[in-house]
């Protein structure tokens, strides 16, 4: 830690004004009047903006479904649709003075009926969040793949589970921040923002009704954590409009209450009904998944997450047919966004919860049930019923490594000893996929009218006259070590020392296409762009070298920066001379060759370019990582508190570019998953009031709650990526919630209690289950 990070909060141009917000206290209400007169007389206040005024000058924010009646804006117009929704913005010479002014704004509300439960919201008589839309159902799609009826007939049994993934998020240390500065002389908007969002500049421009080349987003600021939640489009449009109106830079940095209350950054809020059909031997024949997802008041991009399970609908198992029903509804809650894994971790949890339920039903060992149903190494590439083809894997080997790492026999003995001491103790297992290389095709799956099929990334490579290499990318970074990854791949590709490769983050006007780091895609897609740029640069160097050596291009090789004659390696042109020729020695260049050494390569997502079929079959993601978790949980029967004592992860993300980075992702993701399993939830009262507005209420796991995590890597390279790499940005998180739940349920069922099927699992949930078991005469 050097303290040299530069975050949005550190960017304060001269004359900067600051924003504070007036928010709705009601989950649903009609806005009758907004009185700003007293606020305008407050010290330092220069402007108070209402939703009606902002709506006159801007267009609604983008929705990814065809729901034109659902208009999403930075400030509420006519109605507020969740407690905490922004109603007015107060601008002053300091944040403190803006807050003082915001307290003086008087809003007259007429409360309206509200709905919070997603299943109740889908009913015909539910209060409507958006009356003009006519229903709270934003999207509903039904899919059926394979010989469903035949596979159900040959099954000896079916087990159904209802799993609940309550609303949580990544809750980064840095709240969202934006600085917008409008240059009236150039009609140019500069934005510094802690963003992680595809098409951010275009969406800001569209909402402001200006050309996209009038928006310059600076990507050279640090992002203090994100994993999907730093969308910030409404924040940026609000600040940008104010800057354009007031002729001064405008800064808006959320405080923690604004962030947690109305920042539109909550994650999936889902109810799963999963049915697994199986033979008497425990071989799965069919899976059915029905899911209802609570998008909050405005759907935005979040319903697209319901498409992601299609690409991994059977998990790592050989299940020949599948049925999937996906429903997205609106409620009077804070809006939802894409959180780490784009909704895959909740689906993994639901599948693994069902697998454990089958094991209990059959009285079968949970490890054996998984091994019996795993896709086998010699079956890859493996096409699942929904049309996606898994690229590579060795799931039994990864599970074996996790079992060996945990020393399962010793761990089992330890669990049994704890039980003998009066604790409820259990061992959990989860074997889960991490789809990587996120593509745009999920937009087409949930909205067939959207025919987008690519999500490109790009890299510019420049070799200057002294031979130094610079790699230029155009994306923000939230601590994923992209600079290290880029320098490593460029250095390896060109045969140069990665330490000498300078990585520069261009702004949105000088950079090349990027969709931002989402879907574990940077090493995969940006890695392909880097490989392509290196190849193009080497081709140019080979042409120069071959000309200097007086041989054909096909007669030379490129070796660690030098061009050598294939048949006689003593004949070579070294790197420095190649560079000098390209930059300064036209007389030694091939005829018509362009001077200098600079290339740009733009890469598609691997295996992309095809729309979904009418039945939803599609190659959704290009490659699939895999992880196996084994964890020991100990429960204090007097308090219901769960303590994790031993955590082991085996992980396969193909070729590992940087082991320390991958290890950090596994550790951090596992800690995040532990939080989801045991602590984190955005809760609401029956009146629609958020009950978790600070870290006093929203519980994050600390070093006390996260045990030592042991990890081991396995490598099955992907045949479809530039270096055999797969995604790792969501590692750990993909399986940790399921594994912890599995451990708790192993402990509870051993006590005669019912398994729990809702996350987070709280001490009160555990105590209720144990008391129920004891009341029925179970183990004491």
């Amino acid at each position: 830690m050097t303290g040299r990070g530069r975050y949005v909060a550190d960017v304060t141009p001269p004359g900067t004004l600051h924003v504070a917000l007036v928010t709705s206290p009601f989950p649903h209400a009609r806005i009758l009047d907004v009185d700003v007169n007293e606020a305008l007389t407050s010290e330092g206040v220069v402007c108070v903006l209402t939703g009606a005024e902002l709506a006159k000058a801007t267009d609604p924010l983008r929705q990814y479904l065809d729901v034109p009646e659902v208009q999403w804006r930075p400030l509420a117009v006519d109605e507020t649709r969740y407690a905490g929704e922004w109603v007015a913005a107060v601008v002053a010479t300091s944040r403190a003075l803006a807050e003082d002014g915001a307290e003086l704004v008087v809003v007259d509300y007429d409360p309206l009926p509200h709905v919070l439960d997603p299943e109740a919201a889908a009913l015909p008589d539910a209060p409507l969040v958006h009356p003009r839309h006519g229903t709270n159902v934003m999207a509903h799609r039904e899919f059926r793949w394979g010989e469903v009826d035949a596979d159900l007939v040959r099954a000896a049994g079916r087990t159904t589970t209802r799993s609940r993934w309550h609303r949580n998020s990544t809750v980064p240390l840095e709240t969202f921040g934006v600085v917008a500065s409008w240059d009236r002389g150039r009609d140019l908007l500069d934005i510094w923002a802690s963003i992680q969002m595809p098409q951010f500049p275009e969406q800001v421009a569209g909402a402001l009704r200006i050309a996209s080349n009038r928006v310059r987003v600076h990507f050279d600021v640090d992002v203090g954590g994100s994993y999907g939640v730093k969308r910030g489009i409404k924040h940026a449009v609000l600040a940008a409009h104010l800057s354009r109106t007031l002729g001064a830079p405008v800064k808006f940095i959320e405080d923690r209450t604004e962030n947690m209350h109305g920042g539109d950054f909550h994650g999936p809020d889902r109810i799963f009904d999963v049915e697994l059909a199986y033979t008497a031997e425990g071989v799965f024949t069919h899976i059915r998944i029905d899911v209802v997802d609570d998008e909050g008041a405005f759907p935005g991009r979040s319903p697209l997450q319901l498409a992601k399970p299609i690409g991994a609908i059977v998990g790592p198992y050989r299940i020949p047919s599948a049925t999937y029903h996906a429903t997205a509804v609106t409620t009077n809650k804070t809006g939802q966004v894409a959180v780490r894994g784009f909704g895959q971790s909740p689906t993994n949890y639901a599948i693994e919860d069902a697998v454990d339920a089958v094991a209990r039903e059959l009285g079968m060992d949970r490890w054996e049930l998984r091994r019996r149903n795993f896709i086998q190494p010699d079956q890859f590439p493996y096409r699942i019923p929904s049309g996606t083809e898994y690229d590579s894997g060795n799931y039994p080997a990864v599970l074996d490594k996790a079992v060996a790492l945990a020393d399962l026999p010793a761990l089992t003995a330890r669990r049994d000893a704890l039980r003998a001491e009066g604790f409820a103790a259990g061992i959990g297992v989860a074997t889960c996929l991490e789809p990587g290389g996120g593509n745009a095709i999920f937009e087409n799956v949930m909205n067939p009218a959207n025919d987008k099929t690519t999500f490109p990334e790009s890299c510019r490579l420049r070799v200057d006259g002294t031979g130094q290499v610079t790699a230029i990318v155009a994306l923000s970074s939230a601590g994923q070590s992209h600079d290290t990854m880029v320098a490593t791949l460029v250095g390896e590709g060109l045969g140069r020392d990665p330490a000498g490769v300078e990585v520069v983050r261009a702004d949105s006007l000088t950079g090349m296409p990027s969709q931002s780091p989402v879907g574990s895609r940077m090493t995969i897609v940006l890695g392909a762009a880097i490989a392509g740029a290196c190849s193009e640069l080497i081709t140019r160097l080979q042409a120069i070298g071959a000309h200097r050596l007086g041989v054909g291009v096909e007669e030379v090789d490129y070796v660690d920066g030098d061009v050598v004659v294939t048949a006689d390696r003593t004949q070579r042109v070294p790197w420095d001379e190649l560079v000098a020729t390209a930059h300064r020695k036209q007389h030694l260049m091939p005829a018509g060759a362009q001077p200098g050494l600079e290339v740009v390569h733009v890469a598609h997502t691997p295996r992309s370019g095809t729309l979904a079929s009418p039945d939803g079959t599609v190659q959704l993601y290009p490659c699939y990582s895999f992880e196996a978790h084994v964890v020991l949980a100990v429960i204090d029967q007097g308090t219901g508190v769960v303590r994790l004592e031993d955590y082991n992860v085996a992980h396969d993300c193909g070729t590992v570019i940087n082991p320390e980075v991958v290890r950090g992702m596994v550790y951090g993701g596992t800690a995040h998953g532990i939080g989801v399993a045991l602590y984190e939830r955005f809760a609401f009262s029956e009146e629609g009031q958020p009950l978790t507005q600070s870290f006093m209420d929203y519980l994050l796991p600390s070093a006390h709650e996260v045990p030592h995590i042991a990890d081991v890597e396995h490598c099955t390279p992907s045949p479809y990526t530039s270096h055999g790499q797969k995604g790792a940005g969501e590692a750990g998180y993909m399986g940790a919630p399921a594994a912890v739940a599995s451990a708790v349920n192993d402990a509870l069922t051993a006590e005669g209690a019912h398994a729990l099927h809702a996350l987070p699992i709280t001490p009160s949930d555990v105590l209720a289950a144990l008391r129920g078991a004891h009341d029925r005469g179970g183990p004491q």
Side-chain angles (χ1 to χ4, degrees):
M1 298 293 292
T2 64
R4 295 179 181 177
R6 180 174 178 262
Y7 299 88
V8 175
D10 298 320
V11 178
T12 309
T16 294
L17 300 173
H18 301 263
V19 176
L21 298 169
V22 178
T23 62
S24 170
F26 298 101
H28 197 190
R30 187 175 292 110
I31 301 173
L32 302 178
D33 182 62
V34 182
D35 185 348
V36 304
N37 293 321
E38 187 176 359
L40 287 171
T41 65
S42 182
E43 179 187 355
V45 171
V46 298
C47 172
V48 181
L49 179 69
T50 66
E53 294 168 331
L54 180 61
K56 293 176 182 177
T58 60
D59 286 339
L61 307 180
R62 180 180 177 185
Q63 302 279 11
Y64 286 78
L65 301 175
D66 288 330
V67 286
E69 304 88 354
V70 180
Q71 295 199 350
W72 181 28
R73 296 181 179 274
L75 300 177
V77 180
D78 298 331
E79 290 183 13
T80 67
R81 291 177 168 85
Y82 61 92
E85 186 173 4
W86 304 350
V87 176
V90 179
V91 186
T93 52
S94 73
R95 168 74 191 209
L97 293 174
E99 290 180 356
D100 290 344
E103 292 181 358
L104 301 176
V105 175
V106 178
V107 184
D108 188 9
Y109 297 98
D110 177 21
L112 296 170
H114 64 272
V115 61
L116 301 176
D117 181 82
E119 290 185 309
L123 298 176
D125 59 348
L128 294 178
V129 181
H130 299 276
R132 290 179 58 193
H133 185 64
T135 175
N136 291 324
V137 176
M138 296 289 107
H140 176 74
R141 295 219 62 187
E142 297 187 0
F143 304 94
R144 182 183 174 93
W145 304 289
E147 301 297 326
V148 174
D149 294 337
D151 290 335
L152 288 173
V153 167
R154 68 186 180 92
R158 305 183 197 179
T159 296
T160 300
T161 55
R162 165 161 280 218
S163 303
R164 185 70 164 93
W165 179 287
H166 282 291
R167 179 176 292 226
N168 55 77
S169 193
T170 66
V171 200
L173 185 62
E174 179 202 47
T175 60
F176 189 84
V178 59
V179 175
S181 181
W182 180 267
D183 185 334
R184 287 180 173 173
R186 300 181 63 193
D187 280 346
L188 183 68
L189 174 66
D190 282 290
I191 292 178
W192 297 263
S194 52
I195 57 167
Q196 184 190 358
M197 181 178 183
Q199 298 105 39
F200 180 84
E202 296 91 333
Q203 292 195 51
V204 170
L208 293 172
R209 303 171 183 167
I210 61 177
S212 58
N213 66 348
R214 296 297 178 190
V215 177
R216 179 167 58 194
V217 178
H218 297 262
F219 293 118
D220 59 345
V221 292
D222 294 306
V223 178
S226 174
Y227 288 102
V229 303
K230 294 284 181 71
R231 301 289 158 150
I233 185 69
K234 71 176 186 180
H235 309 64
V237 170
L238 174 62
H241 169 77
L242 289 168
S243 178
R244 181 171 60 176
T245 301
L246 300 174
V250 171
K251 173 183 279 191
F252 173 40
I253 308 291
E254 292 178 321
D255 66 20
R256 185 59 62 184
T257 299
E258 289 166 345
N259 175 256
M260 300 181 77
H261 200 183
D264 290 347
F265 85 109
H266 292 181
D269 189 353
R270 295 186 182 173
I271 300 170
F272 292 91
D273 288 296
V274 179
E275 180 185 77
L276 267 176
Y278 46 86
T279 68
E281 295 74 29
V283 175
F284 301 146
T285 66
H286 177 73
I287 188 169
R288 174 181 60 82
I289 300 178
D290 295 344
V291 59
V292 176
D293 194 32
D294 181 348
E295 315 300 336
F298 297 97
R301 191 176 179 83
S302 58
L304 304 182
Q305 298 179 85
L306 290 173
K308 185 163 185 174
I310 291 173
I313 197 70
V314 297
Y317 308 111
R318 297 188 312 272
I319 306 179
S321 64
T323 307
Y324 181 51
H325 298 165
T327 305
V329 301
T330 52
T331 62
N332 294 109
K333 295 178 185 173
T334 304
Q336 186 197 132
V337 295
V339 168
R340 195 178 201 154
F342 208 61
Q344 185 64 43
S345 189
T347 304
N348 287 349
Y349 161 63
I351 293 173
E352 291 298 282
D353 194 34
V355 171
D356 275 4
V358 171
R360 288 191 295 270
E361 183 73 20
L362 292 174
M364 183 178 291
D365 178 80
R366 289 169 292 160
W367 280 263
E368 173 58 27
L369 181 62
R370 285 169 168 81
R371 288 190 176 98
R372 189 166 297 185
N373 286 281
F374 275 156
I375 299 163
Q376 296 301 304
D378 60 358
Q379 294 179 300
F380 289 97
Y382 183 87
R383 188 182 190 273
I384 66 173
S386 60
T388 286
E389 190 179 76
Y390 295 169
D391 55 331
S392 66
N394 190 335
Y395 305 155
V398 176
L399 180 57
D400 287 346
K401 282 191 172 183
V403 167
L405 183 67
D407 190 353
L408 187 57
L411 195 65
T412 302
R414 184 174 165 197
R415 177 199 65 183
D416 295 344
L418 286 163
R419 288 176 177 177
E421 294 173 15
F423 292 97
I427 296 174
V429 59
T431 51
C432 300
L433 294 175
E434 177 188 358
N439 196 19
I441 192 63
F442 45 72
E443 297 185 26
N444 174 247
V445 173
M446 292 305 295
N447 180 8
N450 191 328
D451 61 354
K452 185 189 300 181
T453 56
T454 190
F455 233 29
E457 293 298 329
S458 57
C459 176
R460 181 189 300 272
L461 285 184
R462 177 182 300 150
V463 181
D464 64 25
T466 68
Q468 301 305 310
V469 181
T470 300
I472 303 164
V473 295
L475 63 143
S476 58
S477 182
Q480 303 100 324
S481 293
H482 291 145
D483 289 18
T484 302
M485 180 268 288
V486 172
T488 299
L489 293 181
V490 171
E492 180 177 293
L494 296 179
R496 313 303 297 166
D497 182 0
V501 177
E502 182 67 18
V503 180
V504 174
R505 297 180 183 276
D507 61 59
S508 62
L509 292 184
T510 59
M512 301 69 62
S514 174
Q515 304 302 315
S516 87
V518 296
S520 283
R521 65 193 309 275
M522 282 298 102
T523 301
I524 296 167
V525 191
L526 180 55
I530 293 168
C534 289
S535 178
E536 290 185 27
L537 193 61
I538 288 170
T539 297
R540 292 181 62 176
L541 290 166
Q542 285 177 313
I544 295 170
H547 184 72
R548 289 285 305 269
L549 292 165
V551 298
V553 173
E554 70 281 359
E555 298 178 69
V556 298
D557 294 323
Y558 179 86
V559 181
D560 294 333
D562 299 348
V563 172
V564 304
V565 175
T566 305
D568 181 4
R569 301 241 164 172
T570 64
Q571 297 187 57
R572 65 175 55 221
V573 182
W575 171 266
D576 290 343
E577 190 57 32
L578 292 168
V579 171
T581 301
H583 281 276
R584 296 183 293 275
K585 299 180 181 181
Q586 181 181 353
H587 62 290
L588 298 178
M589 290 277 280
Q594 180 180 334
L597 290 172
E598 185 167 335
V599 298
V600 176
H601 190 91
V602 183
H604 289 300
T605 302
R607 312 175 81 188
S608 63
T610 303
L611 291 169
S613 300
D615 66 351
T617 54
V618 63
Q619 182 66 48
L620 201 63
Y621 278 66
C623 48
Y624 288 77
S625 300
F626 177 73
E627 56 193 61
H629 297 238
V630 178
V631 57
L632 174 65
V634 183
I635 299 172
D636 185 316
Q637 298 208 47
T639 64
V641 171
V642 177
R643 183 176 75 254
L644 303 181
E645 289 201 350
D646 195 284
Y647 208 109
N648 305 274
V649 185
H651 181 252
D652 178 4
C653 63
T655 303
V656 175
I657 305 301
N658 187 310
E660 290 303 315
V661 170
V662 171
R663 188 169 293 113
M665 292 293 186
V666 171
Y667 290 175
T670 300
H672 184 185
I674 289 170
V676 169
L678 298 177
Y679 305 106
E680 301 182 43
R681 179 184 175 185
F682 288 106
F684 293 80
S685 70
E686 292 183 1
E687 294 74 29
Q689 295 300 315
L691 301 177
T692 40
Q693 299 185 47
S694 74
F695 291 143
M696 291 295 290
D697 312 303
Y698 187 92
L699 303 181
L700 289 168
S702 72
H704 295 287
E705 288 76 38
V706 178
H708 171 72
I709 300 168
D711 76 304
V712 63
E713 283 291 332
H714 187 81
C715 179
T716 53
S718 173
Y720 303 112
T721 59
S722 58
H723 300 78
Q725 73 274 32
K726 303 178 185 180
E730 291 136 4
Y733 181 68
M734 288 293 102
V740 174
S742 176
V744 172
N745 284 334
D746 183 45
L748 292 176
T749 55
E751 295 292 321
H754 294 304
L756 297 175
H757 301 283
L759 301 184
I761 297 170
T762 65
S764 59
D765 296 331
V766 173
L767 283 178
L770 290 172
R771 287 169 182 162
H774 296 163
D775 291 343
R776 294 190 299 272
Q780 299 296 315

